[in-house]
């Protein structure tokens, strides 16, 4: 790690902060464009609030202030680590989100790893045997993965593995009411995650398999691969030692581009498998018009996506020494 | 410098052909039954215009040709007493990079961009020598010294994009030397470099060759390079060798009209022939797919007669001539 690298890192962090600021302001203003405020929603649902009570509530929560003041108040409290208060859950937003975050992070991280690992492996095997039966079979499987929507994959997997075969749990993250040791807990969570992770990652396995195949074929045609063979290396060592790292570069880039999309998929997956994650929380928050909570979830997700992108950029520069890390 | 030190043949190639699949039915002979040999400690230059089949010849010897789209036929390819044409792919792998090693035209694209010089060198060293990582690193330093890379230690951690063109080619040469080869196949190793650097690389190769006593198949289209590095030369045209002999003899008394054309075509003082500089020979090299039935050079030859179109002339040695050539109506006299 030379100085150039740290300068680069500093810049990227700064960039990220700017993006987060834009996200905060942007989503706050966006939610303010929606007609009616929190108090209207509460009033509409309870139906027994009079105008006086509503005015009191507005005053209490600062909703009677001009938008700009509200925004500044919000930014101020976010900077102090306070994401606001969820009236509907009667808890502060941050602790609500943090409580749900582990399940989501577990789901997303496992899905990315699964997708990259199996996708790349399938792509590399297909490229190695390009235009031969194995390649054709892999292409067909990949096409099926690609074309099946997440909810269908999820429901299908549940029906086969949980309902019919009774091999895996139907939903949730932990078997309720059992006193587990730590290792048993890990095993139990892993069992619960298998189906959600595969439902979420099948589509991405397909994407990465296609990408890895194409990039592997291109790499295998390069002069330095010929050099590697000229040294006397076996095909296996040429692929693992010389081609794979180069072929992975486009896959890594793609992961970075798709991470936000993957969070979207996580909402759906968490709903199907009733996982106690942020996705479920956001889903419920939208239906209940719990604005502070929606805003908080948006913010935390944006933060995570930005951090993940930063990590992926760093991985990329470590993989490819040619990347210009100035700017 | 060009005294003949031809010992027992190190490499002996008999009737080597490379066939390229055009479609499921059709194959063309891009290299058509070439025969030549390289002695121990000798440099044979394979010279000819682009598309003549020089690279394919070298690739076929290394068995690095694209197996899906190309086939190789040969009566025999003997290297250091061992017949290569009947070896399995696994067996040939042991010879690649050890007994025979190859240097390529473009050193930037020929080095892996994401691996350090050290990683690529040490890999080549350890593949063919039973060495610890530390010993291999030491050997890598020695090799970089051998190819005259200054401050070798600090170069080990570099990536190829941070090196100059000349340095990259030196690293490629060091890698080729890693397995202590007896034969080096150098495919236009100076073509991608500028003039000064290319002269330095040429000097280095010549010195290493003398120092190590290796045999070298030196592929080029640069006649100047031939003169400065090779003992013997084989001129290729459209997949066939049309004339071969000692460099002095071929250069001073060419018998094949194509060789004469090449020599006459070189611009003043320079020996470079880049294809389009060959204004004196009208026309272009026929592609292997539509090569004439008789002598392939016929359509461009100012000495051609009707009998040239019957069948391709074979390489022969005429009494009184010091080179072998494939021509029905060769030049007899010293050209002016
Ligand atoms: N991969 C390939 N596919 C199809 N044709 C090829 C391929 N490589 C070489 N050829 C053909 O074979 C002939 C000889 O090529 P090559 O050996 O590269 O020539 P040289 O090295 O003398 O310039 C050329 O006509 C070229 O078009
Ligand atoms: S054989 Fe005939 S056509 Fe061919 S080079 Fe000789 S004279 Fe020319
Ligand atoms: Mg060539």
């Amino acid at each position: 790690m030379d100085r150039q690298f740290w300068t680069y890192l500093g810049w990227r962090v700064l960039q990220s902060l700017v993006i987060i600021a834009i996200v905060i302001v942007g989503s706050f203003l966006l939610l303010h464009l929606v007609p009616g405020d929190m108090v209207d929603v509460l009033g509409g649902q309870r139906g027994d609030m009079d105008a006086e009570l509503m005015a009191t509530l507005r005053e209490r929560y600062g909703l009677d202030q001009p938008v700009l003041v509200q925004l500044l108040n919000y930014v101020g409290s976010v900077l102090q680590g306070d994401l606001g208060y969820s009236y509907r859950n009667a808890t502060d937003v941050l602790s609500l989100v943090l409580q749900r975050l582990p399940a989501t992070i577990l789901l997303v991280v496992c899905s990315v790893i699964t997708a990259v690992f199996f996708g790349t492996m399938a792509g590399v095997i297909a490229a190695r045997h390009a235009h031969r039966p194995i390649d054709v079979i892999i292409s067909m499987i990949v096409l099926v993965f690609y074309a099946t929507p997440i909810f269908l994959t999820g429901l299908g997997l549940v029906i086969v593995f949980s309902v019919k075969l009774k091999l895996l749990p139907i939903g949730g993250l932990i078997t309720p009411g059992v006193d587990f040791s730590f290792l048993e807990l890990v095993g139990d969570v892993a069992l619960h995650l298998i189906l959600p992770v595969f439902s979420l990652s099948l589509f991405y396995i397909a994407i990465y398999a296609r990408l890895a195949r194409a990039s592997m074929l291109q790499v295998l045609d390069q002069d330095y691969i010929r050099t590697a063979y000229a040294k006397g290396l076996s095909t296996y060592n040429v692929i693992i030692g010389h081609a794979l790292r180069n072929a992975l570069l486009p896959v890594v880039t793609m992961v970075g581009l798709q991470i936000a999309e993957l969070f979207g998929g996580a909402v759906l997956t968490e709903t199907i498998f009733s996982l106690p994650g942020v996705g479920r929380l956001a889903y419920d928050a939208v239906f209940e018009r719990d604005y502070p909570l929606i805003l908080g979830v948006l913010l935390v997700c944006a933060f995570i996506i930005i951090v993940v992108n930063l990590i992926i950029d760093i991985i990329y520069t470590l993989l490819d020494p040619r990347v210009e890390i100035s700017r | 410098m060009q005294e003949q030190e031809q010992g027992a043949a190190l490499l002996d190639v008999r009737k080597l052909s490379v066939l390229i699949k055009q479609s499921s039915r059709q194959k063309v002979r891009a290299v058509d039954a070439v025969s030549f040999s390289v002695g121990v400690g000798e440099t044979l230059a394979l010279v000819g215009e682009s598309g003549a089949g020089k690279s394919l010849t070298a690739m076929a010897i290394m068995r690095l040709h694209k197996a899906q789209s190309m086939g190789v036929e040969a009566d025999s390819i003997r290297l250091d007493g061992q017949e290569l044409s009947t070896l399995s792919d696994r067996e040939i792998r042991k010879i690649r990079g050890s007994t025979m090693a190859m240097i390529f035209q473009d050193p930037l694209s020929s080095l892996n961009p994401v691996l350090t010089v050290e990683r690529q060198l040490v890999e080549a060293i350890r593949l063919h020598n039973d060495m610890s990582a530390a010993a291999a690193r030491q050997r890598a330093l020695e090799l970089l010294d051998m190819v005259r890379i200054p401050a070798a230690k600090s170069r080990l951690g570099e990536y190829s994009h941070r090196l100059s063109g000349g340095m990259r080619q030196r690293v490629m040469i060091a890698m080729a030397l890693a397995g202590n080869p007896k034969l080096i196949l150098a495919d236009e190793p100076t073509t991608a470099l500028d003039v000064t650097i290319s002269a330095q690389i040429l000097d280095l190769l010549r010195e290493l060759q003398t120092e190590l006593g290796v045999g070298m198949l030196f592929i080029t289209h640069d006649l100047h390079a031939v003169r400065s590095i090779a003992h013997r030369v084989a001129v290729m045209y459209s997949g066939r060798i049309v004339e071969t002999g000692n460099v002095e003899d071929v250069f001073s008394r060419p018998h094949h009209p194509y060789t004469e054309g090449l020599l006459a075509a070189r611009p003043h003082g320079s020996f470079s022939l880049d294809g389009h500089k060959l204004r004196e020979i009208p026309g272009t090299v026929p592609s292997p797919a539509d090569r004439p039935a008789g002598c392939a050079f016929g359509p461009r030859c100012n000495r051609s007669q009707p009998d040239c179109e019957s069948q391709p002339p074979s390489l022969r040695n005429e009494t009184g001539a010091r080179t072998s050539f494939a021509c029905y109506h060769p030049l007899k006299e010293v050209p002016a």
Side-chain angles (χ1 to χ4, degrees):
Chain A
M1 294 306 100
D2 48 10
R3 238 183 67 215
Q4 216 185 3
F5 179 82
W6 293 113
T7 323
Y8 165 77
L9 196 62
W11 265 110
R12 288 290 281 111
V13 170
L14 206 67
Q15 251 177 27
S16 306
L17 290 177
V18 172
I19 294 172
I20 288 176
I22 293 173
V23 170
I24 296 178
V25 175
S27 27
F28 184 88
L29 293 179
L30 200 67
L31 282 183
H32 260 272
L33 287 179
V34 181
D37 61 16
M38 193 55 223
V39 176
D40 286 329
V41 175
L42 277 176
Q45 279 166 356
R46 289 193 21 196
D48 61 349
M49 266 198 247
D50 55 23
E52 200 182 323
L53 180 57
M54 287 170 86
T56 319
L57 280 175
R58 286 209 171 88
E59 203 180 329
R60 171 126 62 108
Y61 294 116
L63 296 177
D64 54 345
Q65 309 272 335
V67 175
L68 199 63
V69 176
Q70 288 189 40
L71 174 62
L72 287 178
N73 285 340
Y74 183 67
V75 171
S77 53
V78 166
L79 285 181
Q80 291 167 25
D82 176 10
L83 292 186
Y85 186 80
S86 164
Y87 317 101
R88 300 215 53 87
N89 293 281
T91 328
D92 74 288
V93 169
L94 187 63
S95 57
L96 212 56
V97 174
L98 287 185
Q99 184 197 332
R100 298 295 196 92
L101 209 50
T104 300
I105 290 189
L106 213 54
L107 174 65
V108 168
V109 168
C110 290
S111 299
V112 168
I113 292 173
T114 307
V116 170
F117 181 79
F118 287 107
T120 308
M121 197 163 75
V124 168
I125 293 173
R128 163 83 177 83
H129 303 280
H131 311 301
R132 279 183 278 172
I134 298 181
D135 179 29
V136 176
I137 292 171
I138 290 180
S139 299
M140 284 186 327
I141 296 174
V142 158
L143 195 65
V144 173
F145 285 7
Y146 183 76
T148 318
I150 291 180
F151 72 90
L152 212 62
T153 320
L155 293 177
L157 289 175
V158 167
I159 289 171
V160 175
F161 288 97
S162 308
V163 178
K164 295 270 183 231
L165 297 177
K166 300 201 190 312
L167 287 174
L168 294 168
I170 288 186
L173 189 61
I174 300 169
T175 313
V178 186
D179 209 5
F180 284 124
S181 74
F182 178 71
L183 273 184
E184 285 167 343
L185 184 70
V186 171
D188 188 56
V189 169
L191 271 186
H192 279 86
L193 274 177
I194 291 179
L195 290 186
V197 163
F198 271 94
S199 326
L200 182 51
S201 54
L202 276 193
F203 175 77
Y204 296 95
I205 290 179
I207 302 246
Y208 301 150
R210 289 168 147 203
L211 195 60
R213 179 184 181 275
S215 101
M216 193 51 143
L217 279 180
Q218 201 200 348
V219 167
L220 286 179
D221 217 31
Q222 299 294 309
D223 286 352
Y224 55 83
I225 296 301
R226 186 181 60 189
T227 308
Y229 277 115
K231 282 178 176 176
L233 289 170
S234 64
T235 304
Y236 178 82
N237 283 326
V238 170
I239 287 181
I240 299 298
H242 285 262
L244 187 58
R245 208 164 140 182
N246 288 284
L248 263 178
L249 296 175
V251 176
V252 173
T253 307
M254 196 55 134
V255 171
L257 292 174
Q258 288 182 331
I259 201 78
E261 198 186 308
L262 203 83
F263 265 86
V267 175
L268 202 58
T269 314
E270 285 171 5
T271 313
I272 296 171
F273 291 95
S274 37
L275 288 177
V278 174
R280 261 315 282 286
L281 191 66
Y283 181 84
D284 296 339
V286 168
F287 270 89
E288 288 163 358
R289 295 230 256 164
D290 190 344
Y291 293 141
L293 188 53
I294 297 177
L295 214 49
V297 169
L298 266 178
L299 205 62
V300 170
C301 287
F303 183 77
I304 291 175
I305 289 168
I306 285 165
V307 169
V308 169
N309 263 302
L310 192 61
I311 293 173
I312 284 171
D313 273 12
I314 292 170
I315 291 177
Y316 197 98
T317 60
L318 294 180
L319 277 178
D320 188 354
R322 286 165 301 180
V323 175
E324 265 305 321
I325 52 173
S326 44
R327 236 184 336 150
Chain B
M1 179 172 68
Q2 261 89 24
E3 79 271 44
Q4 192 166 343
E5 18 176 61
Q6 192 177 352
L10 171 68
L11 173 73
D12 190 56
V13 175
R14 293 295 122 203
K15 295 212 165 144
L16 171 73
S17 297
V18 178
L19 295 94
I20 301 179
K21 289 182 197 130
Q22 302 285 91
S23 58
S24 56
R25 286 280 139 142
Q26 212 188 355
K27 287 180 185 172
V28 298
R29 240 167 234 278
V31 175
D32 187 15
V34 297
S35 301
F36 57 89
S37 63
V38 180
V40 174
E42 182 189 56
T43 298
L44 171 71
L46 202 53
V47 66
E49 288 164 279
S50 174
K54 309 181 294 291
S55 296
L56 286 182
T57 303
M59 300 296 257
I61 294 169
M62 291 285 286
R63 210 183 284 177
L64 285 173
H65 59 278
K66 294 194 163 40
Q68 314 97 303
S69 59
M70 295 180 192
V72 170
E73 290 172 359
D75 281 3
S76 142
I77 304 173
R78 288 190 82 76
L79 175 66
D80 199 26
Q82 188 177 22
E83 179 59 48
L84 300 188
S85 58
T86 53
L87 292 184
S88 69
D89 285 350
R90 180 182 287 268
E91 288 165 325
I92 207 106
R93 234 166 53 207
K94 296 212 180 79
I95 294 169
R96 259 189 221 146
S98 62
T99 316
M100 58 181 176
M102 192 155 175
I103 305 165
F104 299 96
Q105 176 167 344
D106 181 354
L108 178 59
S109 65
S110 296
L111 287 166
N112 195 320
V114 303
L115 302 179
T116 60
V117 167
E118 174 171 3
R119 170 74 217 276
Q120 297 185 63
L121 256 178
V122 165
E123 176 182 57
I125 294 166
R126 294 190 74 184
L127 196 58
H128 299 289
N129 304 280
D130 189 16
M131 261 190 203
S132 70
R137 192 184 139 90
Q138 200 49 45
R139 174 80 180 130
L141 282 175
E142 278 170 36
L143 286 171
L144 291 184
D145 275 341
M146 254 171 99
V147 297
R148 327 242 194 288
I149 288 185
K153 216 170 204 143
S154 66
R155 299 294 185 185
L156 279 181
E158 289 282 21
Y159 293 94
S160 56
H161 73 282
R162 306 259 301 243
L163 301 173
S164 68
M167 282 300 158
R168 286 176 200 139
Q169 196 57 293
R170 283 168 201 266
V171 170
M172 284 296 293
I173 295 171
M175 256 162 57
L177 296 177
N180 307 307
K182 293 185 174 169
L183 176 74
I184 292 177
L185 299 104
D187 189 358
E188 312 218 20
T190 60
T191 305
L193 308 172
D194 69 43
V195 185
T196 334
I197 306 297
S198 117
Q200 289 171 6
I201 295 292
L202 222 50
D203 287 343
L204 173 69
L205 281 173
R206 188 177 46 238
E207 285 163 30
L208 286 173
Q209 200 243 348
T210 321
E211 211 174 298
L212 303 170
V214 295
M216 185 149 68
L217 180 66
F218 187 91
I219 294 173
T220 185
H221 60 233
D222 177 359
L223 295 175
H224 179 73
V226 174
R227 191 153 241 179
S228 86
I229 202 167
H231 306 110
R232 286 190 306 122
V233 58
V235 180
M236 254 185 116
Y237 185 81
S238 185
R240 298 174 186 142
I241 291 177
V242 296
E243 182 156 21
T244 178
N246 291 330
V247 169
E248 283 302 325
D249 297 332
V250 172
F251 273 56
S252 59
R253 292 163 155 261
H255 291 280
H256 196 284
Y258 179 62
T259 315
E260 193 225 4
L262 285 187
L263 293 166
R266 62 180 195 248
H268 292 290
S270 155
F271 286 87
S272 178
L273 50 110
D274 265 344
H276 44 263
K277 280 191 192 155
L278 279 173
R279 290 203 194 82
E280 269 90 341
I281 314 179
T284 53
V285 192
S287 90
D290 35 48
R291 189 185 286 141
C295 176
F297 188 55
R300 297 171 79 188
C301 180
N302 54 15
R303 299 174 67 86
S304 74
Q305 313 263 323
D307 62 334
C308 298
E309 290 165 30
S310 58
Q311 56 177 329
S314 51
L315 206 58
R316 66 201 161 92
N317 215 326
E318 216 169 69
T319 40
R322 304 191 59 166
T323 71
S324 305
F325 47 85
C327 174
Y328 295 123
H329 310 288
L331 293 94
K332 303 283 185 193
E333 281 143 46
V334 190

